[in-house]
Amino acid sequence: MIIDDQTYDLIIVGTGAGGGTLAAKLAPTGKKILILERGDFMPLEEQNRSNVDVFKRERYHAPEQWYDSAGEEFSPQMNYAVGGNTKIYGSVLMRFREQDFEAVNHQTGISPEWGVKYADFEPYYTEAEQLYKVHGQAGVDPTEPPHSHDYPFPAVDHDPQVEEIVGAIAQQELHPAPLPLGLTRQEEDPTNDSEVSGIRPAIDHPNVTLKTGAKVVCLHTNPSGQVVKGVEAEIDGQAYLFLSEIVVLSCGAVNSAALLLRSKSDRHPDGLANSSGLVGRNLMKSLMSVVVQLSTKPNSGSFPKTVCVNDFYWGDSDFPYPMGQIQNSGGLLTDIIFAEAPPMFSILAKFMPGFGLKQLATHSIGWWAQTADLPDPNNRVRVEGNKLAIDYTPNNAEAHDRLVYRWRETLKTIEKELDGFQRGFMHPSSEIPIQVMANQCGTCRFGEDPTASVLDLNCRTHDIDNLYVVDGSFFPSNASVSPALTIMANALRVGDHLIERLQ
Ligand SMILES: Cc1cc2nc3c(=O)[nH]c(=O)nc-3n(C[C@H](O)[C@H](O)[C@H](O)COP(=O)(O)OP(=O)(O)OC[C@H]3O[C@@H](n4cnc5c(N)ncnc54)[C@H](O)[C@@H]3O)c2cc1C
């Protein structure tokens, strides 16, 4: 093993929403920071910018296989690159609702309260919205939590066909609201991500070094097992050891947990930072379905996602439990998660005989239905030798089914008013399979009790004084809005704590 001859003040592993954001926050401190990222910079043409070919979905999958509970291998939709999954995300950057930080009574159980509340997160949500140039409009969505500052940029206009539908939805006493989107405002590359707003500005600082193609395989502690001393990474097939005062993992909720489990030693026989036995457990990844509305009028197949409907977020008069969120897709040709739902395309083809799949995509409007799943210790990441296994059984399914049902009923009603939709049309929907790990979270939950959580409220592991985790692992519960802005805001929050500690 080659031992790097430098000692860093801080090493960050991973450059996605958590790691990239933290790097931007800490770079101006002048501290000696090393960032290790297993992927490389992603050429623009490979990013999810336009005309994503739904049939080339493997482009957005990790070059490795994971295993499900039955031992079947699958190719996870994980993007290993500078910027991580934010290089392919939809850039919908939405705050959790205030109540998401409290204990929430779901139909199938209670999702636990967070030790840090919305009021504590609020300044960091504002900071994250500024950093990622979020375009939005407060005050339209009835579930939107209070903002101390307006969105830094106005909301994006709807595509004309979506605009017409939005008007019809509003007639149903619903509250379609502009989706907050992180945008660079540059034409050739409009999506704002953690490479653009995190890593690039960070590495402009001379005290920050980024090593790409550096896959971290193990963390090493001192002999007493109380402090992480070295980070072992594979670079070009060679093992390297990097030494640091503080180590922050941000490999994504699955990979950070797997790395801790793989870093077991005599002092930590069940994995590092795992005295609670919770590392890898309580994996959540949201319940998601796509509902597709067929239109007789063509559209471009690629237009911005711009609208969400949160009227069913906390339930309705028939079902007094949270159901979740609806948002439009950015056209079937640009939304890569559609690539995961090929059965839906064959159902659609039945309704439009004679149409090729790409033509179908230009005669459709897609809608996402998303519902929070609940933490369950049996949903977990396991490592068996070199294998990484995911045990995941969806829960909270009735809430999700009701959301899909309510949305289909809404679409049926508004289509009567709209020109260009065939009356009585079915709306085929398709659930998202296990390989979609987009919203993974929860595998190193934070909390005050070391027996019931892996991280403390600053996202420092309870067991190891100089080891932190700032990706989606820290969530003690999931929400029905997507997680990226909350991960970014949390990284900024933890960043303030680390700045104090480094001083
Ligand atoms: C298709 C898609 C669309 C999405 N759309 C949205 C959206 O619109 N809004 C939203 O809020 N969320 C969205 N998400 C989810 C969002 O992208 C994630 O929640 C977020 O990126 C997670 O941040 P993270 O820091 O936890 O991990 P990631 O962003 O996954 O970053 C992890 C990083 O760690 C690196 N890494 C992993 N293992 C190692 C290792 N051993 N050594 C070194 N480096 C390592 C990876 O290469 C990666 O760069 C979407 C996700 C996908 C896949």
Side-chain angles (χ1 to χ4, degrees):
M1 177 147 42
I2 298 172
I3 301 178
D4 189 64
D5 56 1
Q6 321 217 20
T7 299
Y8 294 90
D9 292 314
L10 186 133
I11 291 179
I12 299 173
V13 186
T15 59
T21 308
L22 183 69
K25 176 92 179 189
L26 297 184
T29 59
K31 294 292 172 185
K32 196 164 165 185
I33 296 171
L34 174 66
I35 305 169
L36 297 170
E37 166 54 55
R38 68 180 287 174
D40 285 307
F41 284 98
M42 210 173 162
L44 194 57
E45 67 271 17
E46 286 193 1
Q47 298 172 24
N48 178 30
R49 301 306 191 217
S50 61
N51 279 327
V52 169
D53 186 333
V54 293
F55 310 107
K56 286 194 183 150
R57 62 188 168 132
E58 297 301 326
R59 178 186 284 176
Y60 307 106
H61 283 229
E64 62 189 14
Q65 298 293 309
W66 294 354
Y67 295 82
D68 68 14
S69 314
E72 292 292 321
E73 62 179 27
F74 67 92
S75 159
Q77 189 193 53
M78 291 288 299
N79 190 49
Y80 295 148
V82 176
N85 274 334
T86 71
K87 290 310 289 181
I88 60 169
Y89 75 165
S91 74
V92 174
L93 292 180
M94 194 176 256
R95 299 177 178 209
F96 275 18
R97 316 288 93 174
E98 203 166 1
Q99 188 64 29
D100 285 323
F101 291 81
E102 307 298 333
V104 176
N105 208 6
H106 289 263
Q107 190 216 14
T108 49
I110 295 173
S111 76
E113 91 178 279
W114 291 34
V116 178
K117 300 298 182 180
Y118 178 76
D120 304 306
F121 263 78
E122 202 287 330
Y124 297 105
Y125 275 132
T126 298
E127 192 178 340
E129 284 166 353
Q130 309 268 349
L131 184 64
Y132 285 90
K133 297 191 170 62
V134 178
H135 293 55
Q137 185 187 354
V140 185
D141 178 346
T143 66
E144 177 132 14
H147 283 228
S148 60
H149 292 73
D150 278 343
Y151 286 105
F153 296 95
V156 174
D157 290 339
H158 301 303
D159 170 87
Q161 207 172 350
V162 174
E163 177 79 57
E164 209 185 333
I165 299 175
V166 167
I169 296 170
Q171 299 290 312
Q172 304 305 308
E173 296 184 9
L174 298 174
H175 300 82
L179 261 183
L181 296 168
L183 300 173
T184 58
R185 301 175 69 77
Q186 286 162 13
E187 222 160 71
E188 74 282 5
D189 187 9
T191 303
N192 207 329
D193 58 48
S194 61
E195 178 203 339
V196 174
S197 288
I199 295 299
R200 294 267 180 199
I203 58 177
D204 280 346
H205 291 258
N207 52 306
V208 179
T209 307
L210 167 69
K211 285 192 191 299
T212 59
K215 179 184 172 190
V216 173
V217 291
C218 189
L219 305 179
H220 298 276
T221 63
N222 64 354
S224 71
Q226 285 166 344
V227 174
V228 174
K229 290 310 264 186
V231 175
E232 183 182 336
E234 278 171 16
I235 304 177
D236 292 331
Q238 174 71 53
Y240 285 78
L241 190 69
F242 298 97
L243 307 177
S244 181
E245 297 296 327
I246 294 176
V247 174
V248 184
L249 299 187
S250 192
C251 303
V254 170
N255 279 314
S256 284
L259 182 54
L260 291 172
L261 293 171
R262 285 189 172 126
S263 300
K264 65 182 180 189
S265 63
D266 291 347
R267 293 275 171 190
H268 300 280
D270 299 322
L272 202 54
N274 196 20
S275 62
S276 64
L278 290 172
V279 170
R281 292 191 182 265
N282 296 303
L283 171 69
M284 294 165 280
K285 65 189 205 79
S286 309
L287 303 177
M288 291 192 249
S289 292
V290 186
V291 178
V292 175
Q293 207 182 2
L294 287 177
S295 160
T296 51
K297 277 201 263 180
N299 62 50
S300 66
S302 65
F303 43 82
K305 310 175 154 217
T306 49
V307 62
C308 61
V309 179
N310 281 325
D311 294 273
F312 313 117
Y313 199 90
W314 298 117
D316 64 10
S317 50
D318 294 337
F319 188 76
Y321 302 105
M323 282 157 68
Q325 181 184 62
I326 299 291
Q327 53 178 262
N328 76 315
S329 85
L332 270 61
L333 289 179
T334 44
D335 215 322
I336 67 170
I337 300 184
F338 283 108
E340 308 296 342
M344 185 186 62
F345 281 101
S346 47
I347 300 170
L348 284 173
K350 281 194 196 138
F351 291 102
M352 287 218 164
F355 271 69
L357 293 184
K358 284 201 172 173
Q359 281 163 303
L360 275 176
T362 57
H363 284 72
S364 323
I365 305 273
W367 297 93
W368 284 107
Q370 186 167 311
T371 304
D373 46 358
L374 275 78
D376 172 353
N378 296 318
N379 284 343
R380 63 187 290 207
V381 178
R382 285 182 292 116
V383 294
E384 294 169 356
N386 287 334
K387 286 188 175 175
L388 192 159
I390 303 289
D391 296 334
Y392 181 80
T393 306
N395 53 45
N396 215 12
E398 184 175 343
H400 185 65
D401 292 347
R402 283 180 180 257
L403 177 67
V404 171
Y405 173 79
R406 282 302 305 257
W407 193 242
R408 285 177 161 195
E409 291 301 299
T410 303
L411 293 179
K412 267 192 221 164
T413 310
I414 63 172
E415 282 164 13
K416 292 181 187 146
E417 316 298 326
L418 291 167
D419 178 32
F421 287 92
Q422 292 185 10
R423 286 195 189 179
F425 237 85
M426 278 181 67
H427 303 99
S429 66
S430 179
E431 286 170 19
I432 298 302
I434 187 157
Q435 54 262 41
V436 175
M437 305 294 296
N439 289 356
Q440 59 184 270
C441 59
T443 52
C444 299
R445 54 162 54 174
F446 79 163
E448 279 170 316
D449 178 357
T451 64
S453 54
V454 177
L455 308 173
D456 72 10
L457 295 180
N458 288 319
C459 291
R460 186 184 70 89
T461 61
H462 287 296
D463 299 353
I464 310 286
D465 178 59
N466 65 339
L467 178 60
Y468 291 76
V469 184
V470 298
D471 51 37
S473 308
F474 79 96
F475 286 23
S477 66
N478 201 0
S480 295
V481 297
S482 294
L485 188 74
T486 300
I487 297 172
M488 292 160 175
N490 183 60
L492 295 169
R493 187 183 71 87
V494 174
D496 269 347
H497 159 80
L498 285 170
I499 289 169
E500 212 170 283
R501 177 171 174 162
L502 285 161
Q503 279 163 1

